[in-house]
Amino acid sequence: MPVPEFSTARSLLSARAVRARAETLLKAGFEGRLDHFVVDADRLGPCADAVVETIRDAYPDLAIPYHARWRHFAVGGFERWGSLVHAAPFADPAEQARAAFDLVVVSVLLDAGAGPTWRYEEGRTGETYARSEGLAVASFDMFVSGLFSSEPEDPFRADARALASLTEAELAEAFQAGPTNPLVGLSGRTALLNRLGQVAAADPEGFGPQARPGGLFDRMKARARDGEVSAETVLEVLLTHLGPIWPGRIVLDGVDLGDTWRHPLAGGIGPTEGLVPFHKLSQWLAYSLLEPLEEAGLTVTGLGALTGLPEYRNGGLFLDTGVLSLRRPEEASRPHPVDSRLVVEWRALTVALLDLLAPLVRERLGIADPDALPLAKVLEGGTWATGRRLARSLRPEGAPPLAIDSDGTVF
């Protein structure tokens, strides 16, 4: 008898499992069986119209880049990474890729919700940034300053010794955070980077002899065939080697499941029954590694295997356009923990609805080939930007429609 799909712990470490469990919960939503949300498929058309409006305004030529951390490093029209590479060129393309991996891995892990009031003032430009852009610019400045490197003569890197010894006070100072400029989840972010350092030191197969996040580049390159590496492989490497960094999550058969939560309607059999994987930060990281891999001469195939990202901008898009609504509207007035059934439903519905929305967006743009506008570009163009635009028009500070008790490692 064949082993059922997604019945083992390791089977949940894939985008296919994310998609399958999300679709199961969306089906329950269409059937009216969810505890917290009602799904109105008729609103998907107007939602797609709103996304297309955003895309045409920002990218009239439809030359949309990938949804990646690199967009935030270029906020304000200043190409920070390009300027660094130009001013201090790396020895070869592989070393540049390792440095890019070092930067983006750490920056993405720091990219959980910042809260509505935190701000970061960039010294080089005098500009002030908030939320994801502020976190990106701050983490870039930390990288350039050598905060993540234990080798003073080689500052543009991240390594296990520096990450494992980083203190909350050092991170707070680097983020300009304090009582008058509070940053949500600061202790969680510090602990996450500390664990990254510990895991990198203990896993030379994944992180290489220098115990750097950049060692993951060499791991992915070794998996390439004829210069091609699949997006599924990129994510698999990340989930395999970064799994142990996640705090207090589900461990099944000795496997750290990371961004995986419980819901009774998620389906499955055996030990994985009722488990819903998302791997949001890992997939955000996979999207953000596409460009360094390509710049190093590799071709990434099968981008459509990755899912949409279950975070509050994409999720907020569906609430603010009426595709989703709360059964009990009063639930919007209080924060919810990330492991609550409400948040798990919201995130799963977001993943599955993004798969339904993307073809509608392509149709309205006259694009027949999904490869010409993959989900990685629909997100950037796109759903994330429209979610933010609508939030800013509807609520003070552009707050999301639902409040989440964040530990700094999920949203």
Side-chain angles (χ1 to χ4, degrees), residues 98 101-102 105 109 158-160 163 195-219 237-238 240-245 285:
R98 292 184 196 104
F101 269 51
D102 284 343
V105 168
L109 293 180
D159 59 57
L163 293 168
R195 282 193 296 273
L196 173 61
Q198 295 158 8
V199 168
D203 181 11
E205 180 184 4
F207 296 91
Q210 294 182 323
R212 294 170 52 182
L216 295 170
F217 164 74
D218 298 284
R219 186 68 180 156
V237 169
L238 295 176
T240 298
H241 295 286
L242 294 178
I245 74 174
L285 183 51

Side-chain angles (χ1 to χ4, degrees), residues 85 88-99 154:
V85 171
F90 294 94
D92 55 53
E95 184 53 35
Q96 180 173 317
R98 292 184 196 104
D154 188 11

Side-chain angles (χ1 to χ4, degrees), residues 187-315:
S187 62
R189 294 172 210 267
T190 307
L192 193 60
L193 292 191
N194 292 159
R195 282 193 296 273
L196 173 61
Q198 295 158 8
V199 168
D203 181 11
E205 180 184 4
F207 296 91
Q210 294 182 323
R212 294 170 52 182
L216 295 170
F217 164 74
D218 298 284
R219 186 68 180 156
M220 293 174 192
K221 184 178 180 181
R223 298 280 300 274
R225 295 293 179 268
D226 298 323
E228 295 184 347
V229 61
S230 71
E232 286 185 295
T233 296
V234 172
L235 182 60
E236 179 191 337
V237 169
L238 295 176
L239 292 173
T240 298
H241 295 286
L242 294 178
I245 74 174
W246 304 111
R249 303 280 171 77
I250 299 170
V251 178
L252 188 62
D253 296 333
V255 177
D256 293 279
L257 295 182
D259 186 8
T260 297
W261 311 88
R262 299 185 185 278
H263 194 287
L265 299 182
I269 62 174
T272 72
E273 182 178 2
L275 294 179
V276 188
F278 294 113
H279 309 312
K280 180 260 178 176
L281 281 178
S282 297
Q283 292 204 81
W284 172 225
L285 183 51
Y287 283 126
S288 298
L289 295 177
L290 298 178
E291 284 153 273
L293 287 166
E294 291 176 349
E295 288 168 4
L298 295 173
T299 299
V300 183
T301 61
L303 291 185
L306 302 180
T307 76
L309 301 181
E311 44 78 43
Y312 65 83
R313 290 305 183 201
N314 288 324

Side-chain angles (χ1 to χ4, degrees), residues 15-16 28 41 86 129 161 189 197 204 239 248 300 304 311 320 326 378 385 397:
R16 289 181 298 119
H86 179 75
Y129 299 104
R161 187 166 60 171
R189 294 172 210 267
L239 292 173
V300 183
E311 44 78 43
D320 286 338
L326 287 166
V378 174
E397 303 288 344

Side-chain angles (χ1 to χ4, degrees), residues 342-409:
L342 181 147
V343 172
V344 174
E345 287 181 10
W346 187 33
R347 299 182 76 198
L349 293 170
T350 297
V351 170
L353 288 169
L354 285 167
D355 277 345
L356 298 183
L357 185 67
L360 300 179
V361 170
R362 294 187 195 105
E363 179 184 359
R364 284 159 170 75
L365 292 172
I367 298 173
D369 181 6
D371 291 337
L373 189 67
L375 187 56
K377 295 186 176 184
V378 174
L379 294 172
E380 178 62 27
T383 59
W384 188 91
T386 306
R388 169 179 276 190
R389 173 171 66 84
L390 295 178
R392 283 174 168 168
S393 71
L394 294 170
R395 288 173 295 276
E397 303 288 344
L402 292 179
I404 307 299
D405 280 330
S406 175
D407 64 357
T409 65

